[in-house]
Amino acid sequence: MAPAVCGTLLGLALYAGSLCAVSGATFLYHDYCVIGAGPAGLQAAYFLQQAGRDYIVFERSHAPGSFFALYPRHRKLISINKQYTGKSNSEFNLRHDWNSLLSHDRRLLFRRYSRDFFPDADTMVRYLEDFASLLKLRVQYNTAIIHVTLEKNEQAWNGHYFLLTDQDRKNYKCSSLLVAAGTWVPNVVNFPGSEYVEGYETVSINPEDFAGQTVLILGRGNSAFETAENILGVTNFIHMVSRSRVRLSWATHYVGDLRAINNGLLDTYQLKSLDGLLEGDLEDLAIIKDKKGKLHITLRFYLENRNISTGIDSITLPQDELDNFATRAPYDRVIRCLGWKFDFSIYNRSLRIMPGKGNIKKYPQIKPSYESRGTRGLFVLGTASHSVDFRKSAGGFIHGFRYTTRAVHRLLENRHHGVPWPSTVYPITQLTNSIIKRVNEASGLYQMFSVLGDIILLRENATAFEYLEEYPIGVLAELEMQTGRKARNGLFVIIMEYGRNFSGADKDVFYYNRAVGEAQHAWQSNFLHPVIYYYKHLPTEHEMRVRPPDWPLPRPNAIHHIVEDFLTDWTAPNAHILPLRRFLENCLSTDLRNFFAESCFLFAFTHQKLPPSCQQGYVRMQGLVGSLELRHHAVQAGLLQDYTHTDFSGDRPPDSHDGSQEQLMRDHGIPVHPLQHLVNAKDEL
């Protein structure tokens, strides 16, 4: 491997690193460095490899997916693995496959590894190992990055290089840094007596170790309920305490909230079988251990100016003042199940990676483009990027971040390599069909609802359009810069949404008449459904900032909801397609129907302007020509009358209404072709 001068000719450093000497230290150079070989890191590596880019993935363990080698502790994943959907469309089936990563290799579909609806975590480990090996991804194992800093350089892609150091003091340099290390540092709450608390990451998973014991669990997420589910049948009782009330995923429509597979303790609580839930701030608690090893729960303020080591007898407990205090019974064990947070410790202050605020403080601050707010060229992928859509969409889980990772790759391809966002140009006559196809098949729109959207860029005079798939709508104002595509003539944005007031911990999502079935009430749809926004001009940064609360996009010039569907099949001619077509026609002031060649011929004599389907089909000697078989089919379908034995030479009274096109033609002595009825039957075609 030949040395190369750092900061120049970066594109020549493909597939092999370049050695760079800086201040006496030697750095191995790559264009892209990826930290972490979990699902997000491997997904990023796949796209980089497919594009022929120079990259390396650093993994601290000896194999990919090390998080899943330990978690979840009780080994059952909560990501669904639906074997059958009744359809063979691979893109549609990914809507119900929450474990597969995106690739061209059909061997790497997760359903080929497990038939379980909720698979075992060990299967995920094996799947990720195969994903890395079969695709020959460039992963450097047993390499823990312990420090990351910046080196300013005007010739670098982003005005600086990223310098990385591993546990063996080896140094690496890259132009773009992709952080896919996940959230793996346990959340710990410190309070008096917290040293008696066992962590989820180390507590026994053998139910027999809890036989006849009384247990308190700190936390109320899936890890807490997973732990409770494992020991539910052997304990005296289980109490669970957390700051917030329980959130059920079927009510919030957020897959990170409590899933039904783990919620057995809710039954035993509400059916009065000793177990129970409590709300309280964990930082206000204190734990005191008595001489028998029992753990007593008290409040921190009872311990003010007192020494815990003097013993429990000298300390006032809540039950001394309130004899029915809820947690007055002592516990044998207290288990902490509070989730994980991002590891900020390895990043130098020069990178300005800061934690978020409020309930997203466990994640680093990033933009809707997944780029760090503090450092250009540093992107956060996977679970750690969930601050963009926390409690809103699926960006913290494989079935969500496999698409956001692809979106980041496309942004990088445009920024650093001049490769515009992939798009397809269609004639305007295919607008309705293109939208209907995507809302019925696209898995990225479906999984990352209200976060990723399809963009339709209109060409001049609305004669054609350019279709971009799954763009991060949070940076819609930057679309031209981020994609290399122009939006000069207006655009449509297609996203999926739940109803505005349908999701929430306190919502009854099973109430009577919860579903909307009529197209005229589509805007009141509750369940996930497609929404089309029309803008005459690309929204500005200011418009994005001041958009209405809880709106994913600024107020559009026009908006259309496709009514929710029980089967999530938006192909009904009257309920779904016709209202959509009319909406598009109103936005574009054009006719988007398709016509037979004979109808276009008649339009040429009766209209100053032909519909687009006639302009782009019939005038170019293309289109569907009428035949006896088609006419017979149209008669059977009720679209035409049977004129087989009709004498058109007489003055028979017209069948159509007065003032119709057919009557006007008769009045001027123009013979009416039988297929002219197809022109008049506007809503049937």
Side-chain angles (χ1 to χ4, degrees):
M1 181 169 52
V5 178
C6 294
T8 62
L9 301 178
L10 298 181
L12 297 179
L14 297 178
Y15 300 107
S18 300
L19 292 175
C20 308
V22 180
S23 301
T26 300
F27 290 83
L28 184 64
Y29 175 81
H30 293 278
D31 287 348
Y32 295 94
C33 291
V34 183
I35 299 179
L42 296 182
Q43 188 68 87
Y46 169 76
F47 291 123
L48 289 168
Q49 185 146 308
Q50 289 296 107
R53 305 304 173 199
D54 171 33
Y55 77 94
I56 188 69
V57 181
F58 299 111
E59 169 55 44
R60 68 175 184 267
S61 181
H62 66 281
S66 58
F67 183 88
F68 291 99
L70 180 62
Y71 304 116
R73 292 295 314 284
H74 303 89
R75 308 315 289 152
K76 186 175 288 293
L77 299 174
I78 58 174
S79 48
I80 66 174
N81 177 41
K82 196 169 179 62
Q83 293 287 308
Y84 304 103
T85 64
K87 298 188 178 182
S88 59
N89 185 293
S90 58
E91 178 70 11
F92 174 86
N93 288 340
L94 279 172
R95 291 182 170 188
H96 310 287
D97 172 357
W98 292 8
N99 299 284
S100 296
L101 296 178
L102 304 179
S103 80
H104 63 278
D105 193 335
R106 295 189 61 79
R107 294 175 298 174
L108 293 170
L109 292 174
F110 200 86
R111 60 184 174 84
R112 301 184 185 277
Y113 286 76
S114 173
R115 299 182 64 85
D116 295 334
F117 191 69
F118 293 110
D120 190 275
D122 292 329
T123 308
M124 174 60 74
V125 174
R126 182 164 58 90
Y127 171 80
L128 295 176
E129 289 175 349
D130 285 357
F131 191 90
S133 61
L134 290 176
L135 297 173
K136 296 180 172 55
L137 303 181
R138 295 192 284 278
V139 183
Q140 184 171 310
Y141 296 107
N142 300 309
T143 304
I145 299 300
I146 62 172
H147 188 252
V148 183
T149 188
L150 288 181
E151 176 190 85
K152 298 292 183 181
N153 191 311
E154 294 181 357
Q155 297 181 357
W157 286 351
N158 299 290
H160 50 251
Y161 291 113
F162 296 92
L163 306 182
L164 289 67
T165 304
D166 68 15
Q167 79 278 15
D168 296 324
R169 301 300 172 183
K170 292 181 180 178
N171 301 303
Y172 309 89
K173 174 182 284 194
C174 51
S175 293
S176 188
L177 180 63
L178 308 182
V179 178
T183 55
W184 59 274
V185 179
N187 276 313
V188 177
V189 176
N190 291 312
F191 52 79
S194 59
E195 63 270 18
Y196 303 124
V197 175
E198 301 175 74
Y200 170 79
E201 61 277 7
T202 58
V203 71
S204 171
I205 59 174
N206 182 2
E208 293 304 316
D209 292 342
F210 296 85
Q213 293 187 351
T214 301
V215 178
L216 176 67
I217 296 178
L218 308 180
R220 193 159 297 170
N222 279 291
S223 62
F225 277 90
E226 165 208 333
T227 302
E229 193 79 13
N230 184 53
I231 60 177
L232 202 59
V234 299
T235 52
N236 296 331
F237 59 81
I238 302 171
H239 288 166
M240 190 177 289
V241 62
S242 179
R243 179 178 53 198
S244 59
R245 57 176 293 184
V246 65
R247 298 185 182 93
L248 302 171
S249 61
W250 65 61
T252 62
H253 301 113
Y254 173 62
V255 298
D257 284 334
L258 178 59
R259 305 288 296 285
I261 188 176
N262 288 327
N263 69 8
L265 188 135
L266 296 183
D267 265 8
T268 57
Y269 170 44
Q270 289 295 333
L271 299 179
K272 301 307 295 177
S273 189
L274 298 181
D275 304 315
L277 305 180
L278 297 163
E279 285 77 42
D281 193 331
L282 299 184
E283 293 183 350
D284 292 338
L285 296 182
I287 297 178
I288 301 173
K289 191 173 185 178
D290 65 20
K291 296 178 180 179
K292 297 180 179 180
K294 297 287 185 178
L295 302 176
H296 297 260
I297 304 302
T298 184
L299 301 177
R300 183 191 289 263
F301 73 84
Y302 281 109
L303 304 183
E304 292 179 355
N305 301 320
R306 292 181 180 271
N307 187 354
I308 298 180
S309 62
T310 60
I312 190 171
D313 295 335
S314 64
I315 296 175
T316 302
L317 297 176
Q319 54 265 36
D320 295 334
E321 299 179 356
L322 183 66
D323 58 7
N324 67 340
F325 181 64
T327 59
R328 61 186 180 274
Y331 297 94
D332 295 294
R333 306 175 84 150
V334 179
I335 306 173
R336 166 182 44 77
C337 302
L338 300 174
W340 301 269
K341 60 184 178 181
F342 183 77
D343 181 13
F344 293 91
S345 65
I346 69 172
Y347 301 97
N348 186 275
R349 292 178 60 184
S350 61
L351 276 77
R352 293 179 294 176
I353 295 185
M354 302 295 293
K357 299 179 180 179
N359 61 358
I360 59 172
K361 63 183 179 181
K362 59 183 177 180
Y363 303 116
Q365 291 185 16
I366 57 175
K367 303 175 184 177
S369 62
Y370 302 93
E371 188 171 20
S372 169
R373 291 192 177 276
T375 305
R376 180 176 170 84
L378 190 157
F379 288 82
V380 180
L381 308 177
T383 301
S385 69
H386 197 25
S387 60
V388 171
D389 62 306
F390 184 61
R391 295 203 180 281
K392 296 177 182 177
S393 197
F397 312 90
I398 291 176
H399 65 288
F401 64 62
R402 60 190 178 193
Y403 304 105
T404 60
T405 300
R406 180 167 62 185
V408 169
H409 172 70
R410 289 171 171 172
L411 296 176
L412 291 171
E413 284 290 293
N414 177 64
R415 177 188 291 185
H416 298 314
H417 310 288
V419 180
W421 192 283
S423 68
T424 307
V425 177
Y426 298 100
I428 201 67
T429 53
Q430 296 302 311
L431 182 57
T432 307
N433 291 340
S434 297
I435 295 175
I436 289 295
K437 177 179 173 62
R438 285 288 295 169
V439 300
N440 280 286
E441 295 180 359
S443 56
L445 291 183
Y446 194 85
Q447 304 290 21
M448 289 303 297
F449 56 88
S450 299
V451 176
L452 298 182
D454 283 4
I455 311 295
I456 295 175
L457 304 177
L458 297 170
R459 294 292 177 89
E460 190 173 2
N461 299 322
T463 57
F465 63 92
E466 190 173 11
Y467 204 108
L468 286 65
E469 298 178 359
E470 296 167 15
Y471 177 78
I473 61 174
V475 285
L476 182 61
E478 304 171 14
L479 182 137
E480 292 187 336
M481 177 188 69
Q482 298 280 15
T483 66
R485 307 293 180 181
K486 299 300 180 183
R488 299 190 180 100
N489 303 293
L491 66 155
F492 292 97
V493 181
I494 299 98
I495 61 175
M496 307 287 278
E497 296 182 19
Y498 279 98
R500 287 279 187 268
N501 299 308
F502 189 52
S503 303
D506 58 342
K507 301 294 184 181
D508 176 11
V509 294
F510 298 107
Y511 70 89
Y512 195 71
N513 286 335
R514 58 189 172 273
V516 173
E518 298 180 355
Q520 61 265 38
H521 300 138
W523 63 278
Q524 295 177 309
S525 294
N526 285 319
F527 289 92
L528 196 65
H529 63 284
V531 183
I532 295 89
Y533 293 72
Y534 171 62
Y535 296 96
K536 294 181 179 179
H537 305 284
L538 190 66
T540 64
E541 292 276 7
H542 174 73
E543 290 171 333
M544 290 293 293
R545 285 195 302 269
V546 301
R547 64 183 184 270
D550 298 326
W551 277 54
L553 289 168
R555 196 175 300 278
N557 296 103
I559 189 171
H560 176 72
H561 292 252
I562 301 180
V563 68
E564 63 188 357
D565 188 80
F566 188 67
L567 301 177
T568 62
D569 180 4
W570 291 280
T571 57
N574 293 323
H576 302 136
I577 299 177
L578 180 59
L580 171 63
R581 196 201 75 208
R582 286 176 166 172
F583 166 76
L584 298 173
E585 289 176 336
N586 288 334
C587 292
L588 303 178
S589 300
T590 192
D591 190 335
L592 295 178
R593 290 174 297 164
N594 293 309
F595 296 97
F596 287 104
E598 287 88 341
S599 301
C600 292
F601 176 77
L602 291 170
F603 272 134
F605 285 97
T606 59
H607 291 69
Q608 292 183 348
K609 182 180 179 181
L610 291 176
S613 66
C614 293
Q615 294 178 23
Q616 298 172 2
Y618 173 74
V619 173
R620 298 176 182 176
M621 301 183 69
Q622 300 174 0
L624 185 63
V625 179
S627 65
L628 289 176
E629 183 179 355
L630 282 172
R631 292 189 183 98
H632 179 66
H633 176 73
V635 169
Q636 287 184 325
L639 298 177
L640 288 178
Q641 294 187 24
D642 189 353
Y643 287 96
T644 306
H645 304 292
T646 302
D647 181 6
F648 288 100
S649 62
D651 294 328
R652 183 173 63 83
D655 294 325
S656 57
H657 298 290
D658 291 341
S660 68
Q661 180 182 344
E662 182 178 338
Q663 180 62 45
L664 184 63
M665 294 171 68
R666 290 179 189 275
D667 292 343
H668 287 80
I670 302 175
V672 180
H673 195 286
L675 283 178
Q676 175 62 21
H677 286 265
L678 288 176
V679 177
N680 296 330
K682 293 183 178 180
D683 293 344
E684 284 79 3
L685 287 180

